[in-house]
Amino acid sequence: MVQRVVATESTLQLIEKLKTIHGPLMFHQSGGCCDGSSPMCYPRDEFRTGESDILLGKIGDTPFYMSKDQYEYWKHTQLIIDVVDGRGGMFSLEGPEGKRFLTRSRIFTTKEREKLEL
């Protein structure tokens, strides 16, 4: 099965660390505004998704959402969530760890697109 969103090993390790501190988590791909276009990590019960959001998949058993409008631009790509040193979005949970989540992407092949669900 082809996944729309995947994570690097270092990202999965940081997710596990953040889970021990904050409990269950969720991600929402920021659309731009104050924090740029970056994956934002929140406590699962502190961020509300709605009809304008799409669940792209899970990374480390953590749901990953994106707005439908933004999805239209990204639907041809696989999102690869990575982590790097530095400060990212001020509202995302990884900031105090001196890390920031980063979205990398690659375009799906024709065969992969045929196997996608959304």
Side-chain angles (χ1 to χ4, degrees):
M1 182 172 103
V2 178
Q3 297 176 317
R4 288 197 173 275
V5 60
V6 297
T8 63
E9 185 58 36
S10 57
T11 297
L12 294 173
Q13 290 172 6
L14 183 54
I15 289 171
E16 288 306 312
K17 180 178 182 177
L18 293 173
K19 281 182 186 178
T20 64
I21 298 168
H22 302 283
L25 307 173
M26 60 88 63
F27 281 90
H28 193 280
Q29 177 68 38
S30 173
C33 192
C34 357
D35 288 314
S37 182
S38 60
M40 304 294 286
C41 183
Y42 303 103
R44 196 172 297 180
D45 60 352
E46 290 186 18
F47 187 94
R48 291 188 176 240
T49 56
E51 291 182 21
S52 64
D53 296 303
I54 294 175
L55 175 64
L56 294 183
K58 291 185 175 184
I59 54 175
D61 292 326
T62 300
F64 193 100
Y65 294 88
M66 176 182 279
S67 73
K68 287 180 182 178
D69 291 342
Q70 189 176 11
Y71 171 74
E72 284 303 311
Y73 294 107
W74 292 73
K75 66 184 176 184
H76 305 293
T77 63
Q78 181 179 57
L79 303 183
I80 304 153
I81 309 306
D82 201 358
V83 65
V84 295
D85 291 333
R87 293 284 299 169
M90 68 179 90
F91 303 115
S92 194
L93 294 176
E94 78 281 6
E97 305 299 318
K99 304 284 185 186
R100 70 182 188 100
F101 290 114
L102 177 75
T103 300
R104 302 180 192 281
S105 64
R106 70 172 188 82
I107 296 175
F108 288 118
T109 65
T110 302
K111 287 184 181 185
E112 288 173 326
R113 279 195 306 268
E114 293 169 2
K115 296 178 183 180
L116 291 170
E117 293 180 14
L118 292 177

